[in-house]
Amino acid sequence: QVQLVESGGGLVQAGGSLRLSCAASGRTFSVYSMGWFRQAPGKEREFVAVLAWRGSSTYYADSLKGRFTISGDAAKNTVYLQMNSLKPEDTAVYSCAATGRGRSSPDSRSYDYWGQGTQVTVSS
Protein backbone atom coordinates (compact mmCIF):
# COMPACT_ATOMS: atom_id res chain seq x y z
CA GLN A 1 0.00 0.00 0.00
CA VAL A 2 1.12 3.52 -0.85
CA GLN A 3 -0.34 6.77 0.41
CA LEU A 4 0.06 10.09 -1.39
CA VAL A 5 -0.56 13.45 0.25
CA GLU A 6 -0.54 16.70 -1.74
CA SER A 7 0.00 20.19 -0.38
CA GLY A 8 0.64 23.69 -1.67
CA GLY A 9 -2.60 24.49 -3.48
CA GLY A 10 -4.44 27.74 -3.02
CA LEU A 11 -5.52 31.00 -4.60
CA VAL A 12 -3.04 32.95 -6.72
CA GLN A 13 -3.23 35.91 -9.07
CA ALA A 14 -2.67 35.42 -12.79
CA GLY A 15 1.03 35.58 -13.58
CA GLY A 16 2.00 34.28 -10.17
CA SER A 17 3.56 31.00 -9.08
CA LEU A 18 2.75 28.04 -6.87
CA ARG A 19 4.74 24.99 -5.81
CA LEU A 20 2.85 21.78 -5.13
CA SER A 21 4.28 18.91 -3.11
CA CYS A 22 3.34 15.24 -3.00
CA ALA A 23 4.74 13.03 -0.25
CA ALA A 24 4.57 9.24 -0.56
CA SER A 25 4.46 6.86 2.39
CA GLY A 26 3.98 3.15 2.92
CA ARG A 27 5.57 0.73 0.45
CA THR A 28 7.49 3.47 -1.34
CA PHE A 29 10.11 1.02 -2.57
CA SER A 30 7.54 -0.25 -5.07
CA VAL A 31 6.91 3.18 -6.65
CA TYR A 32 8.41 3.55 -10.11
CA SER A 33 7.11 6.95 -11.16
CA MET A 34 5.07 9.82 -9.76
CA GLY A 35 3.10 12.33 -11.75
CA TRP A 36 0.54 15.11 -11.70
CA PHE A 37 -2.89 15.33 -13.28
CA ARG A 38 -5.50 18.07 -13.16
CA GLN A 39 -9.23 18.31 -13.68
CA ALA A 40 -11.42 21.37 -14.01
CA PRO A 41 -15.22 21.25 -13.55
CA GLY A 42 -16.90 19.90 -16.66
CA LYS A 43 -13.61 18.85 -18.26
CA GLU A 44 -11.76 15.57 -18.56
CA ARG A 45 -8.79 14.74 -16.38
CA GLU A 46 -5.64 16.06 -18.02
CA PHE A 47 -2.07 14.82 -17.77
CA VAL A 48 0.41 17.43 -16.51
CA ALA A 49 3.82 15.84 -15.92
CA VAL A 50 5.53 12.68 -14.66
CA LEU A 51 8.90 11.80 -13.14
CA ALA A 52 10.47 8.33 -13.20
CA TRP A 53 12.70 7.80 -10.20
CA ARG A 54 15.08 5.48 -12.02
CA GLY A 55 17.02 7.69 -14.37
CA SER A 56 15.24 10.83 -13.15
CA SER A 57 13.51 11.20 -16.49
CA THR A 58 10.62 13.63 -16.92
CA TYR A 59 7.81 14.07 -19.41
CA TYR A 60 5.36 16.98 -19.80
CA ALA A 61 2.14 17.77 -21.54
CA ASP A 62 3.12 19.79 -24.61
CA SER A 63 0.90 22.72 -23.67
CA LEU A 64 2.59 23.13 -20.28
CA LYS A 65 6.24 22.84 -21.24
CA GLY A 66 8.21 25.91 -20.20
CA ARG A 67 5.81 26.96 -17.43
CA PHE A 68 5.63 23.85 -15.24
CA THR A 69 8.57 21.88 -13.84
CA ILE A 70 8.44 18.53 -12.05
CA SER A 71 11.21 17.45 -9.69
CA GLY A 72 11.73 14.98 -6.89
CA ASP A 73 13.64 14.30 -3.69
CA ALA A 74 14.14 10.55 -3.35
CA ALA A 75 15.34 10.81 0.25
CA LYS A 76 12.02 12.42 1.18
CA ASN A 77 9.87 10.30 -1.16
CA THR A 78 8.47 13.58 -2.41
CA VAL A 79 7.75 15.02 -5.84
CA TYR A 80 7.16 18.70 -6.60
CA LEU A 81 5.40 20.68 -9.28
CA GLN A 82 6.63 24.23 -9.78
CA MET A 83 4.01 26.25 -11.64
CA ASN A 84 4.99 29.63 -13.07
CA SER A 85 3.18 32.27 -15.13
CA LEU A 86 -0.14 30.88 -14.01
CA LYS A 87 -3.26 31.59 -16.05
CA PRO A 88 -6.95 31.40 -15.13
CA GLU A 89 -7.22 28.35 -17.40
CA ASP A 90 -4.86 26.53 -15.01
CA THR A 91 -7.59 26.53 -12.36
CA ALA A 92 -8.31 22.91 -11.45
CA VAL A 93 -7.97 20.21 -8.84
CA TYR A 94 -4.41 18.91 -9.08
CA SER A 95 -3.84 15.28 -8.11
CA CYS A 96 -0.67 13.34 -7.49
CA ALA A 97 -0.45 9.76 -8.78
CA ALA A 98 2.10 6.94 -8.72
CA THR A 99 2.80 3.78 -10.69
CA GLY A 100 4.07 0.57 -9.12
CA ARG A 101 4.85 -1.58 -12.15
CA GLY A 102 7.88 0.04 -13.73
CA ARG A 103 5.90 2.23 -16.11
CA SER A 104 5.68 5.93 -16.85
CA SER A 105 2.73 7.14 -18.89
CA PRO A 106 0.44 10.11 -19.56
CA ASP A 107 -2.54 7.72 -19.33
CA SER A 108 -4.24 8.00 -15.95
CA ARG A 109 -5.27 4.35 -16.19
CA SER A 110 -1.61 3.37 -15.79
CA TYR A 111 -1.47 4.72 -12.24
CA ASP A 112 -2.00 2.56 -9.17
CA TYR A 113 -2.15 5.15 -6.40
CA TRP A 114 -3.78 8.57 -6.10
CA GLY A 115 -3.76 11.43 -3.64
CA GLN A 116 -6.87 13.31 -2.56
CA GLY A 117 -6.15 16.31 -4.77
CA THR A 118 -5.49 19.96 -4.01
CA GLN A 119 -7.37 22.95 -5.41
CA VAL A 120 -5.50 25.54 -7.44
CA THR A 121 -7.43 28.69 -8.30
CA VAL A 122 -5.94 31.40 -10.51
CA SER A 123 -7.74 34.74 -10.52
CA SER A 124 -7.61 37.33 -13.28
Side-chain angles (χ1 to χ4, degrees), residues 9-94:
L11 176 65
V12 65
Q13 187 175 341
S17 299
L18 281 176
R19 189 192 191 198
L20 306 182
S21 299
C22 176
S25 61
R27 301 181 186 272
T28 57
F29 60 87
S30 68
V31 174
Y32 177 76
S33 64
M34 294 175 63
W36 293 94
F37 293 79
R38 68 184 187 182
Q39 187 169 28
K43 299 180 65 177
E44 295 183 346
R45 178 168 288 174
E46 177 186 18
F47 169 75
V48 175
V50 64
L51 178 148
W53 289 112
R54 293 170 177 79
S56 299
S57 60
T58 59
Y59 180 74
Y60 297 88
D62 288 340
S63 62
L64 301 177
K65 288 181 179 179
R67 293 197 298 122
F68 288 15
T69 302
I70 190 170
S71 62
D73 186 335
K76 298 180 179 179
N77 295 312
T78 299
V79 69
Y80 307 94
L81 183 69
Q82 179 67 45
M83 304 185 293
N84 298 325
S85 301
L86 284 164
K87 307 173 182 179
E89 63 195 75
D90 295 319
T91 295
V93 174
Y94 285 72

